[in-house]
Amino acid sequence: MLQFLIRRLIGAFVIMFLIGAFTFFLFYTIPQDFAQLSCGKNCSPENIAVIRENLGLDKPITTQFWEFMSGIVLGRDFPVGHCSAPCLGVSFQSGEFVWDSIVDSFPLTLSLTIGGLVIFLVLGLGAGLLAAWKRGTAVDKAVSGASMVLSSFQIYFLGPIVLGIFVYSTGWMESPSYVPITEDPVGWFMGMLIPWAVMATIFTAQYTRMARSTMIEQLSEEHVRTARAKGMKQRYVFFRYAWRGSLIPIVTIIGMDLSALLSGAVVTEFTFDLAGLGRLSVDSSLGKDIPVTMGVMLFGAFFILMLNIIVDIAYAYIDPRVRLS
């Protein structure tokens, strides 16, 4: 297991280095004066020259690349102060360190993602298992039909409807907002409840269909039929043999959905007017704030790689044959 994990970590490090190099040269080799972007339109040539020197843009591209990559690991010095590792540069617009902006925005996105994930996993997998257990009955048809309808919804469609009914028309709930859980756990929960509910409605339908189909497929496998032939109880066979075999495709989708939500919850945050990592990425792109855009891209890539490693570890525990691959 340790060798399996070491191989995955080495591969992730190499991929992360290549992503960092590609991102740097993608942005810093385009014909654009970043000092002009940082200074604004009405900026004198003298100020532009000072900014170019402060940002290190007057140095050769190879030196800039080395300082950028080494700053992520070791930190970096700027005229505004020392940028501790992981240093992703200084924002053109705010003048703040990019990492500080990401750290300020990430808790909201993390809360939004983890809370929604817990809800739609519990509901989706539970409904899918129930439909598979009651296959062919009225319960199965009702669950399958509901999942087909709900899976066609989108956050930008369902979100305004929920806000219109529960916030603006009836006033039963307050508008979504973010309060750190360490400051006010109840306020944190109530502020995230509507986005969680909308996300859970859409994703629950997808996981219900997947859990049902994978469970039905596993129930027809030879080892499950053999367990039944030995006289084992239906419930034991269902959860001990079929459930474990159905987890691999489900874990794959969980990793993909969680990566996408963490690295860019743009639609959800804009729908509910929340200032998280997705909103930061869009604002930096529209404002041509290259360091922040690069930082968010690298941060998202890092999380996707880490989640892929976690998924690989989960594979290894679910199916021991994966450890030997």
Side-chain angles (χ1 to χ4, degrees):
M1 184 63 182
L2 182 59
Q3 294 181 352
F4 173 83
L5 181 60
I6 291 174
R7 290 200 305 269
R8 294 297 187 270
L9 290 174
I10 293 175
F13 176 80
V14 174
I15 293 174
M16 197 66 206
F17 176 81
L18 294 176
I19 292 175
F22 176 77
T23 303
F24 177 87
F25 286 106
L26 177 66
F27 284 104
Y28 277 85
T29 56
I30 59 177
Q32 181 70 58
D33 189 349
F34 296 126
Q36 179 70 55
L37 288 177
S38 179
C39 189
K41 295 182 179 179
N42 300 321
C43 190
S44 65
E46 292 78 11
N47 290 336
I48 293 177
V50 171
I51 292 174
R52 184 178 290 110
E53 181 179 357
N54 291 340
L55 295 177
L57 299 176
D58 57 336
K59 300 177 182 178
I61 189 67
T62 54
T63 303
Q64 295 184 49
F65 174 69
W66 168 251
E67 291 181 349
F68 174 75
M69 296 299 291
S70 62
I72 297 176
V73 181
L74 304 175
R76 188 175 173 185
D77 291 320
F78 288 95
V80 295
H82 178 71
C83 179
S84 302
C87 180
L88 298 172
V90 180
S91 170
F92 287 166
Q93 294 181 340
S94 65
E96 298 178 353
F97 293 130
V98 174
W99 178 250
D100 293 339
S101 299
I102 292 176
V103 169
D104 291 339
S105 302
F106 183 62
L108 187 150
T109 303
L110 183 63
S111 299
L112 191 66
T113 302
I114 298 300
L117 178 72
V118 171
I119 295 175
F120 66 67
L121 276 183
V122 173
L123 297 179
L125 298 183
L129 290 177
L130 178 63
W133 181 269
K134 300 291 186 179
R135 182 183 180 186
T137 65
V139 174
D140 178 25
K141 294 178 181 179
V143 172
S144 300
S147 65
M148 288 289 291
V149 174
L150 295 177
S151 62
S152 63
F153 290 167
Q154 297 294 328
I155 292 176
Y156 55 79
F157 170 77
L158 187 60
I161 295 177
V162 174
L163 288 174
I165 296 175
F166 293 99
V167 177
Y168 305 129
S169 296
T170 63
W172 291 346
M173 302 184 69
E174 297 181 356
S175 292
S177 60
Y178 175 72
V179 178
I181 189 173
T182 55
E183 297 180 6
D184 184 4
V186 176
W188 169 81
F189 179 81
M190 296 303 298
M192 294 284 101
L193 188 56
I194 290 180
W196 286 344
V198 173
M199 293 172 60
T201 300
I202 297 171
F203 284 94
T204 293
Q206 300 176 7
Y207 281 89
T208 297
R209 296 168 59 190
M210 175 169 295
R212 178 186 180 276
S213 61
T214 54
M215 280 299 298
I216 291 176
E217 181 181 352
Q218 286 296 315
L219 289 172
S220 63
E221 292 289 334
E222 184 176 352
H223 68 282
V224 176
R225 295 198 303 267
T226 302
R228 286 173 172 171
K230 290 181 178 180
M232 296 182 181
K233 293 182 179 180
Q234 177 71 11
R235 182 176 300 178
Y236 181 82
V237 173
F238 189 88
F239 289 102
R240 176 64 178 82
Y241 291 94
W243 170 237
R244 183 172 182 177
S246 67
L247 284 178
I248 291 181
I250 294 175
V251 169
T252 302
I253 300 301
I254 292 174
M256 294 172 60
D257 287 341
L258 190 58
S259 299
L261 290 171
L262 279 173
S263 61
V266 178
V267 176
T268 305
E269 292 176 12
F270 265 89
T271 300
F272 299 104
D273 194 23
L274 298 172
L277 200 61
R279 188 66 171 266
L280 178 65
S281 65
V282 173
D283 290 344
S284 63
S285 298
L286 295 177
K288 297 182 180 180
D289 197 341
I290 303 302
V292 177
T293 304
M294 290 175 58
V296 173
M297 289 180 60
L298 291 176
F299 186 75
F302 172 78
F303 254 96
I304 290 174
L305 288 174
M306 292 300 101
L307 288 171
N308 285 334
I309 292 176
I310 294 174
V311 169
D312 289 339
I313 294 173
Y315 283 164
Y317 278 105
I318 295 171
D319 188 354
R321 293 173 298 180
V322 176
R323 305 175 196 175
L324 303 177
S325 61

